[in-house]
Amino acid sequence: MFVPTSYGLGLAMALGALCCWGSWSVTLVLASERMAFQQYYLNFTISFLLTGIIVGNLGGSLGSGGDNYDFITPYWEEVLTGHEYQ
């Protein structure tokens, strides 16, 4: 997991997230003349999901801070037994 190591880097990441926060409303206004809302919503949702998965997997494997999660861990065993896999 990537954990900012300095105040400046943490602030830059927070400002980057703040700039991306308004992406829904800005792109909706820009796309409203060219496509229907339903098509826009589906397109935005799928692209947001895929981007989150890609960035989460890449960013989650960088750095040395935070918790490490092994994607090979048997998830269903954790869910069914209610115990964390060791």
Side-chain angles (χ1 to χ4, degrees):
M1 181 168 132
F2 184 76
V3 178
T5 56
S6 67
Y7 176 77
L9 183 58
L11 183 61
M13 290 176 66
L15 291 175
L18 184 64
C19 290
C20 294
W21 204 329
S23 62
W24 165 262
S25 60
V26 172
T27 56
L28 176 60
V29 169
L30 293 174
S32 63
E33 297 175 4
R34 289 185 271 168
M35 67 175 71
F37 175 75
Q38 292 83 0
Q39 182 184 6
Y40 167 78
Y41 184 81
L42 181 65
N43 186 10
F44 187 86
T45 304
I46 291 173
S47 62
F48 198 76
L49 178 67
L50 290 176
T51 302
I53 290 171
I54 291 169
V55 171
N57 282 323
L58 292 177
S61 62
L62 297 175
S64 60
D67 295 332
N68 292 327
Y69 187 78
D70 182 13
F71 288 105
I72 302 173
T73 303
Y75 173 74
W76 288 111
E77 183 175 328
E78 293 178 16
V79 171
L80 295 174
T81 62
H83 293 77
E84 188 173 329
Y85 183 76
Q86 298 297 328

Coordinates of all heavy atoms in Angstrom, one line a residue:
M1 N 0.8 -1.2 0.0 CA 0.0 0.0 0.0 C 0.9 1.2 0.0 O 1.9 1.3 0.7 CB -0.9 0.0 1.3 CG -1.8 1.1 1.4 SD -3.0 0.8 2.7 CE -2.9 2.3 3.5
F2 N 0.5 2.2 -0.7 CA 1.3 3.5 -0.8 C 0.8 4.4 0.3 O -0.4 4.8 0.4 CB 1.1 4.1 -2.2 CG 1.9 5.3 -2.3 CD1 3.3 5.2 -2.6 CD2 1.4 6.6 -2.2 CE1 4.1 6.3 -2.7 CE2 2.2 7.7 -2.3 CZ 3.5 7.6 -2.6
V3 N 1.7 4.8 1.2 CA 1.5 5.7 2.3 C 2.4 6.9 2.1 O 3.6 6.7 1.9 CB 1.7 5.0 3.6 CG1 1.5 6.0 4.8 CG2 0.9 3.8 3.8
P4 N 1.8 8.1 2.0 CA 2.7 9.3 1.9 C 3.7 9.4 3.0 O 3.4 9.2 4.2 CB 1.8 10.4 1.9 CG 0.4 9.9 2.1 CD 0.4 8.4 2.1
T5 N 4.9 9.7 2.7 CA 6.0 9.7 3.7 C 6.3 11.1 4.2 O 7.0 11.3 5.1 CB 7.3 9.1 3.1 OG1 7.6 9.8 1.9 CG2 7.1 7.6 2.8
S6 N 5.7 12.1 3.5 CA 5.9 13.5 4.0 C 4.6 14.3 3.9 O 3.7 13.9 3.2 CB 7.0 14.2 3.1 OG 6.5 14.3 1.8
Y7 N 4.6 15.4 4.6 CA 3.5 16.2 4.6 C 3.2 16.8 3.2 O 2.0 16.8 2.8 CB 3.7 17.4 5.5 CG 2.5 18.4 5.5 CD1 1.3 18.1 6.2 CD2 2.6 19.6 4.9 CE1 0.3 19.0 6.2 CE2 1.6 20.5 4.9 CZ 0.4 20.2 5.5 OH -0.6 21.1 5.5
G8 N 4.2 17.2 2.5 CA 4.0 17.7 1.1 C 3.4 16.7 0.1 O 2.5 17.0 -0.6
L9 N 3.8 15.5 0.2 CA 3.3 14.4 -0.6 C 1.8 14.1 -0.3 O 1.0 13.9 -1.1 CB 4.2 13.2 -0.6 CG 3.8 12.0 -1.4 CD1 3.8 12.4 -2.9 CD2 4.7 10.8 -1.2
G10 N 1.6 14.1 1.0 CA 0.2 13.8 1.5 C -0.7 14.9 1.0 O -1.9 14.7 0.6
L11 N -0.3 16.2 1.1 CA -1.1 17.3 0.7 C -1.3 17.3 -0.8 O -2.4 17.5 -1.3 CB -0.4 18.6 1.1 CG -1.1 19.9 0.7 CD1 -2.4 20.0 1.5 CD2 -0.2 21.1 1.1
A12 N -0.3 16.9 -1.6 CA -0.4 16.8 -3.1 C -1.4 15.7 -3.4 O -2.3 15.9 -4.3 CB 0.9 16.5 -3.7
M13 N -1.4 14.6 -2.7 CA -2.4 13.5 -3.0 C -3.8 14.0 -2.6 O -4.7 13.7 -3.4 CB -2.0 12.3 -2.2 CG -0.7 11.6 -2.7 SD -0.2 10.2 -1.7 CE -1.6 9.1 -2.1
A14 N -3.9 14.7 -1.5 CA -5.3 15.2 -1.1 C -5.8 16.2 -2.1 O -7.0 16.2 -2.5 CB -5.2 15.8 0.3
L15 N -4.9 17.1 -2.6 CA -5.4 18.1 -3.6 C -5.7 17.4 -4.9 O -6.7 17.8 -5.6 CB -4.3 19.1 -3.8 CG -4.1 20.1 -2.7 CD1 -2.9 21.0 -2.9 CD2 -5.4 20.9 -2.4
G16 N -5.0 16.3 -5.3 CA -5.3 15.6 -6.5 C -6.7 14.9 -6.4 O -7.5 14.9 -7.3
A17 N -6.9 14.3 -5.2 CA -8.2 13.7 -5.0 C -9.4 14.8 -5.0 O -10.4 14.5 -5.6 CB -8.3 13.0 -3.7
L18 N -9.1 15.9 -4.5 CA -10.1 17.0 -4.5 C -10.4 17.5 -5.9 O -11.5 17.7 -6.2 CB -9.5 18.2 -3.7 CG -10.5 19.4 -3.5 CD1 -11.7 18.9 -2.7 CD2 -9.8 20.5 -2.7
C19 N -9.4 17.5 -6.8 CA -9.6 17.9 -8.2 C -10.4 16.9 -8.9 O -11.2 17.2 -9.8 CB -8.3 18.1 -8.9 SG -7.4 19.6 -8.3
C20 N -10.2 15.6 -8.6 CA -11.0 14.6 -9.3 C -12.4 14.4 -8.7 O -13.2 13.8 -9.4 CB -10.2 13.2 -9.1 SG -8.6 13.2 -10.0
W21 N -12.6 15.0 -7.6 CA -13.9 14.8 -6.9 C -15.1 15.4 -7.8 O -16.2 14.8 -7.8 CB -13.9 15.6 -5.6 CG -14.9 15.1 -4.6 CD1 -16.1 14.5 -4.8 CD2 -14.7 15.1 -3.2 NE1 -16.7 14.2 -3.6 CE2 -15.9 14.6 -2.6 CE3 -13.7 15.6 -2.4 CZ2 -16.0 14.5 -1.2 CZ3 -13.9 15.5 -1.0 CH2 -15.0 14.9 -0.4
G22 N -14.9 16.4 -8.5 CA -15.9 17.0 -9.3 C -16.0 16.5 -10.7 O -16.7 17.0 -11.6
S23 N -15.4 15.4 -11.0 CA -15.4 14.8 -12.4 C -16.7 14.4 -12.8 O -17.1 14.6 -14.0 CB -14.4 13.7 -12.5 OG -14.8 12.6 -11.6
W24 N -17.6 14.0 -11.9 CA -18.9 13.5 -12.3 C -19.7 14.7 -12.9 O -20.2 14.7 -14.0 CB -19.7 12.9 -11.1 CG -21.1 12.8 -11.3 CD1 -22.1 13.6 -10.9 CD2 -21.8 11.8 -12.0 NE1 -23.3 13.2 -11.2 CE2 -23.2 12.0 -11.9 CE3 -21.4 10.6 -12.7 CZ2 -24.1 11.2 -12.5 CZ3 -22.4 9.8 -13.2 CH2 -23.7 10.1 -13.1
S25 N -19.8 15.8 -12.2 CA -20.6 16.9 -12.6 C -20.1 17.6 -13.8 O -20.8 18.0 -14.7 CB -20.8 17.9 -11.5 OG -19.6 18.4 -11.0
V26 N -18.7 17.8 -13.9 CA -18.1 18.4 -15.0 C -18.3 17.6 -16.3 O -18.7 18.2 -17.3 CB -16.6 18.7 -14.7 CG1 -15.9 19.2 -16.0 CG2 -16.5 19.6 -13.6
T27 N -18.1 16.3 -16.3 CA -18.2 15.5 -17.5 C -19.7 15.4 -17.9 O -20.0 15.3 -19.0 CB -17.6 14.1 -17.3 OG1 -18.1 13.5 -16.2 CG2 -16.1 14.3 -17.1
L28 N -20.6 15.4 -16.9 CA -22.0 15.3 -17.2 C -22.4 16.6 -18.0 O -23.2 16.5 -19.0 CB -22.8 15.2 -15.9 CG -24.4 15.2 -16.1 CD1 -24.8 14.1 -17.0 CD2 -25.1 15.2 -14.8
V29 N -22.0 17.7 -17.6 CA -22.3 19.0 -18.3 C -21.7 18.9 -19.7 O -22.4 19.3 -20.7 CB -21.9 20.2 -17.5 CG1 -22.0 21.4 -18.4 CG2 -22.6 20.3 -16.2
L30 N -20.5 18.5 -19.8 CA -19.8 18.4 -21.1 C -20.5 17.4 -22.1 O -20.5 17.6 -23.3 CB -18.3 18.1 -21.0 CG -17.5 19.2 -20.3 CD1 -16.1 18.7 -20.1 CD2 -17.5 20.5 -21.1
A31 N -20.9 16.3 -21.5 CA -21.5 15.2 -22.4 C -23.0 15.4 -22.6 O -23.6 14.6 -23.4 CB -21.2 13.9 -21.8
S32 N -23.7 16.3 -21.9 CA -25.1 16.3 -22.0 C -25.7 16.6 -23.3 O -26.8 16.2 -23.7 CB -25.7 17.3 -20.9 OG -25.2 18.6 -21.3
E33 N -24.9 17.3 -24.2 CA -25.4 17.7 -25.5 C -25.2 16.5 -26.5 O -25.8 16.5 -27.5 CB -24.7 18.9 -26.0 CG -25.0 20.1 -25.1 CD -24.2 21.3 -25.6 OE1 -23.4 21.2 -26.6 OE2 -24.3 22.4 -24.9
R34 N -24.3 15.6 -26.2 CA -23.9 14.6 -27.2 C -24.5 13.2 -26.9 O -24.6 12.4 -27.8 CB -22.4 14.5 -27.3 CG -21.8 15.7 -27.9 CD -20.3 15.5 -28.1 NE -19.7 16.0 -26.9 CZ -18.5 15.7 -26.5 NH1 -17.7 15.0 -27.3 NH2 -18.0 16.2 -25.4
M35 N -24.9 12.9 -25.7 CA -25.4 11.6 -25.4 C -26.5 11.6 -24.4 O -26.6 12.6 -23.6 CB -24.3 10.6 -25.0 CG -23.7 10.9 -23.7 SD -22.4 9.7 -23.2 CE -21.1 9.9 -24.3
A36 N -27.3 10.6 -24.3 CA -28.4 10.5 -23.3 C -27.8 10.2 -22.0 O -26.7 9.7 -21.8 CB -29.3 9.4 -23.7
F37 N -28.5 10.6 -20.9 CA -28.0 10.5 -19.6 C -27.8 9.0 -19.2 O -26.8 8.7 -18.6 CB -29.1 11.1 -18.6 CG -28.7 10.8 -17.1 CD1 -27.6 11.6 -16.6 CD2 -29.3 9.9 -16.4 CE1 -27.3 11.4 -15.3 CE2 -28.9 9.7 -15.1 CZ -27.9 10.4 -14.5
Q38 N -28.6 8.1 -19.7 CA -28.5 6.7 -19.3 C -27.2 6.1 -19.9 O -26.5 5.4 -19.3 CB -29.7 5.9 -19.9 CG -31.0 6.2 -19.1 CD -31.7 7.4 -19.7 OE1 -31.2 8.0 -20.6 NE2 -32.8 7.7 -19.1
Q39 N -26.9 6.5 -21.2 CA -25.6 6.1 -21.8 C -24.4 6.7 -21.1 O -23.4 6.0 -20.9 CB -25.6 6.5 -23.3 CG -24.4 6.0 -24.0 CD -24.4 6.5 -25.5 OE1 -25.3 7.3 -25.8 NE2 -23.5 6.1 -26.2
Y40 N -24.5 7.9 -20.7 CA -23.4 8.6 -20.0 C -23.2 7.9 -18.6 O -22.1 7.7 -18.3 CB -23.8 10.1 -19.8 CG -22.8 10.7 -18.8 CD1 -21.6 11.1 -19.2 CD2 -23.2 10.9 -17.5 CE1 -20.7 11.7 -18.3 CE2 -22.4 11.5 -16.6 CZ -21.1 11.9 -17.0 OH -20.3 12.4 -16.0
Y41 N -24.3 7.6 -17.9 CA -24.2 7.0 -16.6 C -23.5 5.7 -16.7 O -22.6 5.4 -15.9 CB -25.6 6.9 -16.0 CG -25.6 6.4 -14.6 CD1 -25.3 7.2 -13.5 CD2 -25.8 5.1 -14.3 CE1 -25.3 6.8 -12.2 CE2 -25.8 4.6 -13.0 CZ -25.6 5.4 -12.0 OH -25.5 5.0 -10.7
L42 N -23.9 4.9 -17.6 CA -23.3 3.5 -17.8 C -21.9 3.7 -18.2 O -21.0 3.0 -17.6 CB -24.1 2.7 -18.9 CG -23.6 1.3 -19.1 CD1 -23.8 0.5 -17.9 CD2 -24.3 0.7 -20.3
N43 N -21.5 4.5 -19.1 CA -20.1 4.7 -19.5 C -19.3 5.2 -18.3 O -18.2 4.7 -18.1 CB -20.1 5.8 -20.7 CG -18.7 5.9 -21.3 OD1 -17.8 5.2 -21.0 ND2 -18.6 6.9 -22.1
F44 N -19.8 6.2 -17.6 CA -19.0 6.7 -16.5 C -18.8 5.7 -15.4 O -17.7 5.5 -14.8 CB -19.8 8.0 -15.9 CG -19.0 8.7 -14.8 CD1 -18.1 9.7 -15.2 CD2 -19.1 8.4 -13.5 CE1 -17.3 10.3 -14.2 CE2 -18.4 9.0 -12.5 CZ -17.5 10.0 -12.9
T45 N -19.9 4.9 -15.1 CA -19.8 3.9 -14.0 C -18.8 2.8 -14.4 O -18.0 2.4 -13.5 CB -21.2 3.3 -13.8 OG1 -22.1 4.4 -13.5 CG2 -21.2 2.3 -12.7
I46 N -18.8 2.3 -15.6 CA -17.9 1.3 -16.0 C -16.5 1.8 -16.0 O -15.6 1.1 -15.5 CB -18.3 0.7 -17.3 CG1 -19.6 -0.1 -17.2 CG2 -17.2 -0.2 -17.9 CD1 -20.2 -0.6 -18.5
S47 N -16.3 3.0 -16.5 CA -14.9 3.5 -16.6 C -14.4 3.8 -15.2 O -13.2 3.6 -14.9 CB -14.8 4.7 -17.5 OG -15.6 5.7 -17.0
F48 N -15.2 4.3 -14.3 CA -14.8 4.6 -12.9 C -14.5 3.3 -12.2 O -13.5 3.2 -11.5 CB -16.0 5.3 -12.2 CG -15.6 6.0 -11.0 CD1 -14.9 7.2 -11.0 CD2 -15.9 5.5 -9.7 CE1 -14.5 7.9 -9.9 CE2 -15.5 6.1 -8.6 CZ -14.8 7.4 -8.7
L49 N -15.2 2.2 -12.4 CA -15.0 1.0 -11.8 C -13.7 0.4 -12.3 O -12.8 -0.1 -11.5 CB -16.1 0.0 -12.0 CG -16.0 -1.4 -11.5 CD1 -16.0 -1.4 -10.0 CD2 -17.1 -2.3 -12.0
L50 N -13.5 0.4 -13.6 CA -12.2 -0.2 -14.1 C -11.0 0.6 -13.7 O -10.0 0.0 -13.4 CB -12.3 -0.3 -15.7 CG -13.3 -1.3 -16.2 CD1 -13.3 -1.2 -17.7 CD2 -12.9 -2.7 -15.8
T51 N -11.1 1.9 -13.7 CA -10.0 2.8 -13.3 C -9.7 2.5 -11.8 O -8.5 2.4 -11.4 CB -10.3 4.2 -13.5 OG1 -10.6 4.5 -14.9 CG2 -9.2 5.1 -13.1
G52 N -10.7 2.4 -11.0 CA -10.5 2.1 -9.6 C -9.8 0.7 -9.3 O -8.9 0.6 -8.5
I53 N -10.2 -0.3 -10.1 CA -9.6 -1.6 -10.0 C -8.1 -1.5 -10.4 O -7.2 -2.1 -9.7 CB -10.3 -2.6 -10.8 CG1 -11.7 -2.9 -10.1 CG2 -9.5 -3.9 -10.9 CD1 -12.6 -3.8 -11.0
I54 N -7.8 -0.9 -11.5 CA -6.5 -0.8 -12.0 C -5.6 0.0 -11.1 O -4.5 -0.4 -10.7 CB -6.4 -0.2 -13.5 CG1 -7.1 -1.2 -14.4 CG2 -5.0 0.1 -13.9 CD1 -7.4 -0.7 -15.8
V55 N -6.0 1.2 -10.7 CA -5.2 2.0 -9.8 C -5.1 1.4 -8.4 O -4.0 1.4 -7.8 CB -5.8 3.4 -9.7 CG1 -5.2 4.2 -8.6 CG2 -5.7 4.1 -11.1
G56 N -6.1 0.7 -8.0 CA -6.0 0.0 -6.7 C -5.0 -1.1 -6.7 O -4.3 -1.3 -5.7
N57 N -5.0 -1.9 -7.8 CA -4.0 -2.9 -7.8 C -2.6 -2.4 -8.0 O -1.7 -3.0 -7.4 CB -4.4 -3.9 -9.0 CG -5.5 -4.8 -8.6 OD1 -5.6 -5.3 -7.4 ND2 -6.4 -5.1 -9.5
L58 N -2.4 -1.4 -8.8 CA -1.1 -0.9 -9.0 C -0.6 -0.1 -7.8 O 0.5 -0.3 -7.4 CB -1.1 0.0 -10.3 CG -1.3 -0.7 -11.6 CD1 -1.3 0.4 -12.7 CD2 -0.2 -1.7 -11.9
G59 N -1.4 0.8 -7.3 CA -1.0 1.5 -6.1 C -0.9 0.7 -4.9 O -0.1 1.0 -4.0
G60 N -1.7 -0.3 -4.8 CA -1.7 -1.2 -3.6 C -0.5 -2.1 -3.5 O -0.1 -2.6 -2.5
S61 N 0.2 -2.2 -4.7 CA 1.4 -3.1 -4.7 C 2.7 -2.2 -4.6 O 3.8 -2.8 -4.6 CB 1.5 -3.9 -5.9 OG 1.5 -3.1 -7.1
L62 N 2.6 -0.9 -4.5 CA 3.7 0.0 -4.4 C 4.0 0.4 -3.0 O 3.1 0.4 -2.2 CB 3.5 1.2 -5.3 CG 3.4 1.0 -6.8 CD1 3.1 2.4 -7.4 CD2 4.6 0.4 -7.4
G63 N 5.2 0.7 -2.7 CA 5.5 1.2 -1.3 C 5.7 0.0 -0.3 O 5.5 -1.1 -0.6
S64 N 6.1 0.4 0.9 CA 6.3 -0.6 1.9 C 5.5 -0.3 3.1 O 5.5 -1.1 4.1 CB 7.8 -0.5 2.3 OG 8.1 0.7 2.8
G65 N 4.7 0.8 3.2 CA 3.9 1.1 4.4 C 2.5 0.4 4.3 O 2.1 0.0 3.2
G66 N 1.8 0.5 5.4 CA 0.4 0.0 5.4 C 0.4 -1.5 5.4 O 1.4 -2.2 5.6
D67 N -0.8 -2.1 5.3 CA -1.1 -3.5 5.3 C -0.9 -4.1 3.9 O -1.3 -3.5 3.0 CB -2.5 -3.8 5.8 CG -2.7 -3.4 7.2 OD1 -1.7 -3.4 8.0 OD2 -3.9 -3.1 7.6
N68 N -0.3 -5.2 3.9 CA -0.1 -6.0 2.6 C -1.2 -7.0 2.6 O -1.5 -7.7 3.5 CB 1.2 -6.7 2.5 CG 2.4 -5.7 2.4 OD1 2.2 -4.6 1.8 ND2 3.5 -6.0 2.9
Y69 N -1.9 -7.1 1.4 CA -2.9 -8.1 1.2 C -2.5 -9.0 0.1 O -2.2 -8.6 -1.0 CB -4.3 -7.5 1.0 CG -5.4 -8.5 0.9 CD1 -5.9 -8.9 2.1 CD2 -5.9 -8.9 -0.3 CE1 -6.9 -9.9 2.1 CE2 -6.9 -9.9 -0.3 CZ -7.4 -10.3 0.9 OH -8.4 -11.3 0.9
D70 N -2.6 -10.3 0.3 CA -2.2 -11.3 -0.7 C -3.5 -11.6 -1.4 O -4.5 -12.1 -0.9 CB -1.7 -12.5 0.0 CG -1.3 -13.6 -1.0 OD1 -1.2 -13.3 -2.2 OD2 -1.0 -14.7 -0.5
F71 N -3.5 -11.4 -2.8 CA -4.7 -11.6 -3.5 C -5.0 -13.1 -3.7 O -6.1 -13.5 -4.2 CB -4.6 -10.9 -4.9 CG -4.8 -9.5 -4.8 CD1 -3.7 -8.6 -4.9 CD2 -6.0 -8.9 -4.5 CE1 -3.8 -7.3 -4.7 CE2 -6.1 -7.5 -4.3 CZ -5.0 -6.7 -4.5
I72 N -4.1 -14.0 -3.4 CA -4.3 -15.4 -3.5 C -5.0 -16.0 -2.3 O -5.5 -17.1 -2.3 CB -2.9 -16.1 -3.8 CG1 -2.3 -15.5 -5.0 CG2 -3.1 -17.6 -3.9 CD1 -0.9 -16.0 -5.3
T73 N -5.1 -15.2 -1.2 CA -5.8 -15.6 0.0 C -7.2 -16.1 -0.3 O -7.9 -15.5 -1.0 CB -5.9 -14.4 1.0 OG1 -4.6 -13.9 1.2 CG2 -6.5 -14.9 2.3
P74 N -7.5 -17.3 0.2 CA -8.9 -17.8 -0.1 C -10.0 -17.0 0.6 O -10.3 -17.1 1.8 CB -8.8 -19.2 0.5 CG -7.7 -19.2 1.5 CD -6.7 -18.1 1.0
Y75 N -10.5 -16.1 -0.2 CA -11.5 -15.2 0.3 C -12.8 -15.9 0.8 O -13.3 -15.5 1.9 CB -11.9 -14.2 -0.8 CG -13.0 -13.3 -0.5 CD1 -12.9 -12.2 0.3 CD2 -14.3 -13.5 -1.1 CE1 -13.9 -11.4 0.7 CE2 -15.4 -12.7 -0.8 CZ -15.1 -11.6 0.1 OH -16.2 -10.8 0.4
W76 N -13.2 -16.9 0.1 CA -14.5 -17.5 0.5 C -14.3 -18.3 1.8 O -15.2 -18.4 2.6 CB -15.0 -18.4 -0.6 CG -15.6 -17.6 -1.7 CD1 -15.0 -17.5 -2.9 CD2 -16.7 -16.8 -1.7 NE1 -15.8 -16.7 -3.7 CE2 -16.8 -16.2 -2.9 CE3 -17.6 -16.5 -0.7 CZ2 -17.9 -15.3 -3.2 CZ3 -18.7 -15.6 -1.0 CH2 -18.8 -15.1 -2.3
E77 N -13.1 -18.8 2.1 CA -12.9 -19.4 3.4 C -13.0 -18.4 4.5 O -13.6 -18.7 5.6 CB -11.5 -20.1 3.4 CG -11.2 -20.8 4.7 CD -9.9 -21.6 4.7 OE1 -9.5 -22.0 3.6 OE2 -9.3 -21.7 5.7
E78 N -12.5 -17.2 4.3 CA -12.7 -16.1 5.3 C -14.1 -15.8 5.5 O -14.6 -15.6 6.6 CB -11.9 -14.9 4.9 CG -10.4 -15.0 4.8 CD -9.8 -13.8 4.3 OE1 -10.4 -12.7 4.3 OE2 -8.6 -13.8 3.9
V79 N -14.9 -15.7 4.4 CA -16.3 -15.3 4.5 C -17.1 -16.4 5.2 O -17.9 -16.1 6.1 CB -16.9 -15.0 3.1 CG1 -18.4 -14.8 3.2 CG2 -16.2 -13.8 2.5
L80 N -16.9 -17.6 4.8 CA -17.7 -18.7 5.3 C -17.4 -19.0 6.8 O -18.3 -19.4 7.6 CB -17.6 -19.9 4.5 CG -18.1 -19.8 3.0 CD1 -17.8 -21.0 2.2 CD2 -19.6 -19.5 3.0
T81 N -16.2 -19.0 7.2 CA -15.8 -19.3 8.6 C -15.8 -18.1 9.5 O -15.9 -18.3 10.7 CB -14.4 -20.0 8.6 OG1 -13.5 -19.0 8.2 CG2 -14.4 -21.2 7.8
G82 N -15.8 -16.9 9.0 CA -15.7 -15.8 9.8 C -14.4 -15.5 10.5 O -14.3 -14.7 11.4
H83 N -13.4 -16.3 10.1 CA -12.1 -16.1 10.6 C -11.1 -15.6 9.6 O -11.2 -15.9 8.4 CB -11.5 -17.5 11.2 CG -12.3 -18.0 12.3 ND1 -13.5 -18.6 12.2 CD2 -12.0 -18.0 13.6 CE1 -14.0 -18.9 13.4 NE2 -13.1 -18.6 14.3
E84 N -10.1 -14.9 10.0 CA -9.1 -14.4 9.1 C -8.1 -15.5 8.8 O -7.7 -16.3 9.6 CB -8.3 -13.2 9.7 CG -7.4 -12.5 8.8 CD -6.8 -11.3 9.4 OE1 -7.4 -10.7 10.2 OE2 -5.7 -11.0 9.0
Y85 N -7.8 -15.6 7.5 CA -6.9 -16.7 7.0 C -5.5 -16.4 7.5 O -5.0 -15.3 7.4 CB -7.0 -16.8 5.5 CG -6.2 -17.9 4.9 CD1 -6.6 -19.2 5.0 CD2 -5.0 -17.6 4.3 CE1 -5.8 -20.2 4.4 CE2 -4.2 -18.6 3.7 CZ -4.6 -19.9 3.8 OH -3.9 -20.9 3.2
Q86 N -4.9 -17.4 8.0 CA -3.5 -17.2 8.5 C -2.5 -17.8 7.6 O -2.6 -18.9 7.1 CB -3.3 -17.9 9.9 CG -4.2 -17.2 10.9 CD -3.9 -15.8 11.2 OE1 -2.8 -15.3 11.1 NE2 -5.0 -15.0 11.5

